Amino acid sequence: QVQLVESGGGLVQAGDSLRLSCAASGRTFSNYAMAWFRQDPGKERDIVATISWSGSTTYYADSVKGRFTISRDNAKNTVYLQMNSLKPEDTAVYYCAARTMNIATREREYDYWGQGTQVTVSS
């Protein structure tokens, strides 16, 4: 089992920055690919970014490329999502997820989930 706890969400204005953190506990963190998803009420949970166990491979949704950066610190068992130039359409609950093996982009491919953190961007 892997337990994931997100933090860092909040209310910001358009153009601001936020950094989300996801602290993992349980199994060996470095064995897992990690991802950030987001979900609006009544909509599906969509991939935002994912990172391989070593950090050498990343993937970003087109909507966040150039603005968001995913990173990880295996010594601290933590994955981060740096969000710059935030837009109102980035408003959502952001979830951290983990899976063994390689990175993936679909919700059903992830085994472990955090409880989510709300990000609200006002215009």
Side-chain angles (χ1 to χ4, degrees):
Q1 288 286 339
V2 176
Q3 292 78 44
L4 304 173
V5 178
E6 302 97 335
S7 62
L11 172 63
V12 296
Q13 293 186 335
D16 285 351
S17 298
L18 272 179
R19 188 175 81 156
L20 304 183
S21 300
C22 173
S25 60
R27 297 286 179 87
T28 304
F29 178 69
S30 59
N31 289 345
Y32 292 83
M34 302 296 297
W36 289 95
F37 285 77
R38 65 187 182 188
Q39 186 173 28
D40 284 333
K43 296 186 179 180
E44 295 183 350
R45 196 171 293 187
D46 295 326
I47 186 73
V48 175
T50 180
I51 187 168
S52 62
W53 67 270
S54 66
S56 62
T57 303
T58 57
Y59 168 88
Y60 295 92
D62 288 343
S63 59
V64 306
K65 279 182 183 176
R67 299 188 298 123
F68 290 11
T69 303
I70 189 170
S71 61
R72 67 190 295 160
D73 186 336
N74 287 344
K76 295 182 178 180
N77 291 352
T78 302
V79 63
Y80 304 97
L81 184 68
Q82 178 66 44
M83 306 186 293
N84 299 330
S85 302
L86 282 161
K87 303 175 181 179
E89 50 264 44
D90 295 318
T91 295
V93 177
Y94 283 71
Y95 295 90
C96 175
R99 73 187 298 268
T100 55
M101 302 178 68
N102 298 325
I103 63 172
T105 60
R106 291 174 290 191
E107 179 183 359
R108 65 176 182 268
E109 295 177 289
Y110 284 81
D111 303 307
Y112 304 102
W113 292 86
Q115 80 290 349
T117 185
Q118 176 71 47
V119 172
T120 303
V121 185
S122 64
S123 58

